[in-house]
Amino acid sequence: MMAAIAASENGHKVTIFDKNEKLGKKLFITGKGRCNVTNSCNADSFFNGIIRNPKFLYSALSAYDNFAVMDFFEGENVPLKIERGGRVFPESDHSSDIIRALENKLKERKVKIALKTDVKSLTIEDGSVRGFATDRKKYRFDSVILAMGGESYPSTGSTGDWIGMADDLGLEVSKCVPALVPLDVREVKNIYFEDLNGLSLKNVSLSVFWEGKELDSFFGEMIFTHFGISGPIVLECSARYAEEIRLGHVKCEIDLKPALSEVKLDKRMLRDFDEYKNKDIHNALKDLLPSGLIGYVLYESKISPKAKINSITKQERMRLSYTIKHLPFHITKTRGFDEAIITCGGVSVREINPGTMESKKIKNLYLAGEMIDVHGITGGYNLQIAWSTGYLAGRSVQ
């Protein structure tokens, strides 16, 4: 939609082809239906939020940055608000207002819209795109912009159909894997893991290891599920290390008390143990840990939950302290595309002119959005990538 608006403003006659029954079907569910339009941070901070191939996006974000996006929607009578972390939402909290603004602009620009129309193949003549074939007929056009999404949330139409098309065109495509997605862990087989289901943790640290080497750490909120782990810091981990997770041998450790060193944590436990010296250890930890987590932590520490405080040795206490600071989980895989917010991978940036979004191999063919091998963390960055690359592609059409 943004590409069509930009191309029409550049003097072109434009038609959108969408295989769905309405426009913006995926946009409708973004931000849990509220639509996190963009992020309000400055340029330097914005690029810190781009995980995959940030340098490729310099031109696109310079041509149409987050403030231009905010100006566009407010100019279309959609008041915006800024929330924690610079996240920008419509004041109404309705993604439908964002879609309606785009549709109104398309109507104003006299952009034609063909719904329930699935593009199947491109027509290439003398190294230049000349149109495409749908599931019903062939069309001739001077230029084509592909903005066909990734593979996440396939029910919205993002089914990765373009991958076969890209292969036929000889375009390099990086393997697509789910990202910004919950993670399965091996420990779900542990009987104590059942007590963790639905437990939310705040102000914890998640460290990620691949083949024994620490890659990164994330601080914030997470949640345990029946299959593994989820929540903001887990989603960011999945986005930054989707490839490593796909290859396997990824372990994470949760620091349940990152504000305390192991020495300070031990002193805190000694105070609690003194207060509950006649209790069993499971009850003695209720002031330190959420009740649903105590059984699992004790299991990992190899301490019986019925052990009396006065029987706990210093070695056991040290082991417990270490477990609280390094609670281990082994990641087996990401959840599927139907649960992924974005796709990691796509058409290689080496195939695309970053200043125009035009294919380097096929003249007058432009690409935009999630089908390109670029992505960011949560917080409005990925929608901004869509707006910026779409706008630049539309503006660059000759």
Side-chain angles (χ1 to χ4, degrees):
M1 288 188 280
M2 187 60 78
I5 290 167
S8 66
E9 289 178 341
N10 205 24
H12 298 285
K13 294 180 180 179
V14 183
T15 304
I16 291 178
F17 291 81
D18 194 320
K19 68 179 179 182
N20 289 314
E21 72 282 0
K22 59 184 177 181
L23 293 178
K25 195 169 182 181
K26 191 170 187 179
L27 189 58
F28 184 74
I29 66 171
T30 59
K32 297 180 180 178
R34 298 173 61 216
C35 193
N36 186 182
V37 178
T38 187
N39 195 287
S40 65
C41 64
N42 61 35
D44 289 341
S45 297
F46 202 97
F47 280 101
N48 290 336
I50 306 298
I51 297 169
R52 190 94 158 182
N53 298 314
K55 291 182 180 179
F56 174 80
L57 293 168
Y58 283 173
S59 294
L61 286 165
S62 296
Y64 202 65
D65 65 12
N66 46 336
F67 298 104
V69 168
M70 293 167 70
D71 288 343
F72 171 83
F73 285 109
E74 292 195 318
E76 294 299 314
N77 299 312
V78 182
L80 303 175
K81 60 181 177 180
I82 300 173
E83 297 187 359
R84 179 176 56 85
R87 290 168 167 80
V88 179
F89 293 90
E91 279 188 3
S92 65
D93 284 330
H94 295 312
S95 57
S96 55
D97 289 347
I98 297 297
I99 298 169
R100 192 176 301 111
L102 292 164
E103 289 178 325
N104 289 342
K105 196 66 175 180
L106 292 169
K107 186 176 181 180
E108 177 189 315
R109 299 302 311 170
K110 296 180 171 56
V111 173
K112 295 179 180 178
I113 299 169
L115 299 174
K116 299 180 182 178
T117 308
D118 197 357
V119 174
K120 295 295 187 181
S121 62
L122 298 181
T123 303
I124 310 297
E125 298 174 3
D126 300 323
S128 180
V129 68
R130 297 299 182 189
F132 52 76
T134 70
D135 46 357
R136 289 194 289 270
K137 61 182 288 190
K138 292 184 177 180
Y139 294 85
R140 300 285 291 186
F141 289 102
D142 297 324
S143 298
V144 173
I145 301 173
L146 296 180
M148 300 175 74
E151 292 188 69
S152 57
Y153 295 123
S155 61
T156 64
S158 296
T159 52
D161 298 347
W162 55 267
I163 295 175
M165 192 185 302
D167 288 340
D168 292 342
L169 297 172
L171 302 179
E172 179 187 348
V173 178
S174 302
K175 183 172 179 61
C176 292
V177 295
L180 286 178
V181 63
L183 301 173
D184 283 4
V185 299
R186 190 173 72 197
E187 285 72 15
V188 294
K189 298 175 182 178
N190 186 319
I191 189 171
Y192 287 101
F193 195 90
E194 295 178 6
D195 296 333
L196 303 182
N197 189 13
L199 176 65
S200 294
L201 300 176
K202 294 184 178 181
N203 301 319
V204 296
S205 178
L206 177 76
S207 298
V208 187
F209 301 81
W210 186 48
E211 296 184 337
K213 178 183 177 182
E214 184 171 359
L215 299 177
D216 212 336
S217 64
F218 308 92
F219 178 81
E221 300 177 20
M222 63 169 290
I223 186 171
F224 291 99
T225 68
H226 67 280
F227 53 77
I229 53 178
S230 187
I233 58 176
V234 174
L235 296 183
E236 182 171 350
C237 168
S238 76
R240 291 190 182 276
Y241 300 105
E243 282 292 327
E244 287 81 0
I245 292 169
R246 181 177 68 85
L247 294 171
H249 308 294
V250 176
K251 174 189 173 185
C252 67
E253 290 181 354
I254 301 169
D255 185 347
L256 299 169
K257 297 292 176 181
L260 299 177
S261 66
E262 285 190 36
V263 172
K264 289 183 177 179
L265 177 59
D266 185 49
K267 289 180 179 179
R268 164 68 193 275
M269 285 196 300
L270 282 171
R271 290 198 303 270
D272 287 353
F273 283 11
D274 186 57
E275 182 178 351
Y276 297 105
K277 55 190 173 187
N278 296 318
K279 303 284 187 180
D280 61 41
I281 192 168
H282 191 283
N283 290 331
L285 292 175
K286 66 181 183 180
D287 295 338
L288 184 64
L289 298 172
S291 59
L293 192 56
I294 294 173
Y296 189 85
V297 169
L298 289 172
Y299 172 85
E300 286 292 333
S301 304
K302 297 180 174 59
I303 300 172
S304 168
K306 294 181 179 180
K308 297 298 181 183
I309 289 298
N310 54 22
S311 71
I312 298 297
T313 65
K314 181 179 179 180
Q315 184 182 31
E316 287 174 323
R317 199 178 72 244
M318 292 296 101
R319 207 159 59 224
L320 176 60
S321 175
Y322 184 86
T323 301
I324 291 172
K325 298 285 290 180
H326 304 272
L327 190 63
F329 293 95
H330 295 80
I331 300 168
T332 55
K333 62 183 173 66
T334 67
R335 301 296 282 178
F337 279 113
D338 56 337
E339 296 180 48
I341 296 174
I342 60 166
T343 301
C344 170
V347 176
S348 171
V349 296
R350 292 190 291 269
E351 298 282 357
I352 305 167
N353 181 337
T356 61
M357 295 293 126
E358 185 178 20
S359 165
K360 292 180 179 179
K361 290 180 179 175
I362 303 168
K363 189 171 174 55
N364 298 326
L365 175 65
Y366 300 81
L367 300 99
E370 196 178 357
M371 63 186 298
I372 302 173
D373 187 15
V374 289
H375 72 260
I377 60 176
T378 57
Y381 298 95
N382 292 290
L383 266 184
Q384 181 63 49
I385 291 171
W387 308 131
S388 295
T389 55
Y391 179 88
L392 182 56
R395 197 186 72 173
S396 300
V397 170
Q398 300 296 314

